[in-house]
Amino acid sequence: MKRWFISLSALALVGTAPLLGGEPVRAQIFQVKDAIVENIFRPEVKLTLSADKQVVELDDKGQQKVLWQELEGRVTVQPGDVIRYTVDGSNSGDVDAANLQITQPVPDKTIFEIGSAQGAAQITYSIDNAQSFVSEPMVEVTLPDGTVELQPAPAEAYTHVKWGFGDSLASAEAVEVSYNVVVR
């Protein structure tokens, strides 16, 4: 009888094992499979930031020619120097990167050069330290007669630039965005 009781206990344990976590073993296996697939097939967007200083030279004909000198390490810049920041990268993952956005600050002691932002994306700007972004920042200005009107924000007010790449960045697709600032 003892032998029969032990066999029934073992059978009961084996019968309940698939339900120990509250879900059948089959459902748990599918969840593990989905987690493995998510970890194998995911976007991997790697971005690189670089900076170049604008140098204006005269060519053989006496015409001004704009060149960009790459800045690396510790460099000295002077007030009035124009610096171009470039972010480039690509999606080296196996799937599209959904809703990719690149946000760059306007560095301290510089002024954003309005109209300089480039890139194949929707470009928006912030004048409130990245709290909100719009395509054309406006500020309230009080006129001499006391009325208040909205006017385009001055370059000094810009704090961030953001590029939105829409629905997705395809696997193996590259991006490049840039913007200029003037050293104060």
Side-chain angles (χ1 to χ4, degrees):
M1 182 71 171
K2 279 186 173 182
R3 184 182 261 196
W4 177 254
F5 180 72
I6 292 172
S7 296
L8 282 177
S9 298
L11 183 61
L13 181 62
V14 169
T16 59
L19 300 173
L20 286 177
E23 297 180 12
V25 172
R26 186 177 315 172
Q28 292 173 357
I29 290 171
F30 287 129
Q31 290 172 349
V32 169
K33 179 184 133 211
D34 290 343
I36 291 171
V37 168
E38 285 177 18
N39 286 327
I40 292 174
F41 298 109
R42 65 175 186 234
E44 289 184 36
V45 178
K46 296 178 183 176
L47 303 172
T48 304
L49 175 66
S50 62
D52 300 298
K53 178 180 168 182
Q54 185 182 60
V55 179
V56 179
E57 295 180 351
L58 296 178
D59 64 12
D60 297 339
K61 298 177 184 176
Q63 300 289 327
Q64 285 189 346
K65 182 177 180 181
V66 175
L67 303 171
W68 293 95
Q69 177 184 29
E70 186 175 353
L71 300 177
E72 292 186 43
R74 296 183 66 104
V75 297
T76 302
V77 293
Q78 303 296 321
D81 284 348
V82 177
I83 308 298
R84 177 179 59 198
Y85 288 99
T86 303
V87 178
D88 61 16
S90 64
N91 178 6
S92 61
D94 299 317
V95 297
D96 295 355
N99 300 316
L100 175 66
Q101 295 184 2
I102 297 173
T103 304
Q104 282 296 114
V106 174
D108 290 339
K109 300 183 182 175
T110 67
I111 300 170
F112 176 69
E113 189 176 87
I114 295 176
S116 67
Q118 302 292 314
Q122 178 186 5
I123 303 171
T124 54
Y125 309 95
S126 176
I127 58 172
D128 59 6
N129 289 313
Q131 296 298 311
S132 63
F133 287 85
V134 294
S135 59
E136 295 180 32
M138 303 293 276
V139 294
E140 289 184 354
V141 175
T142 304
L143 301 175
D145 66 1
T147 60
V148 177
E149 72 176 24
L150 286 177
Q151 293 183 0
E156 296 84 8
Y158 285 64
T159 61
H160 291 77
V161 182
K162 179 166 51 174
W163 295 265
F165 290 88
D167 294 334
S168 65
L169 179 67
S171 178
E173 187 174 352
V175 297
E176 181 176 296
V177 297
S178 65
Y179 67 107
N180 298 349
V181 296
V182 179
V183 178
R184 292 184 194 227

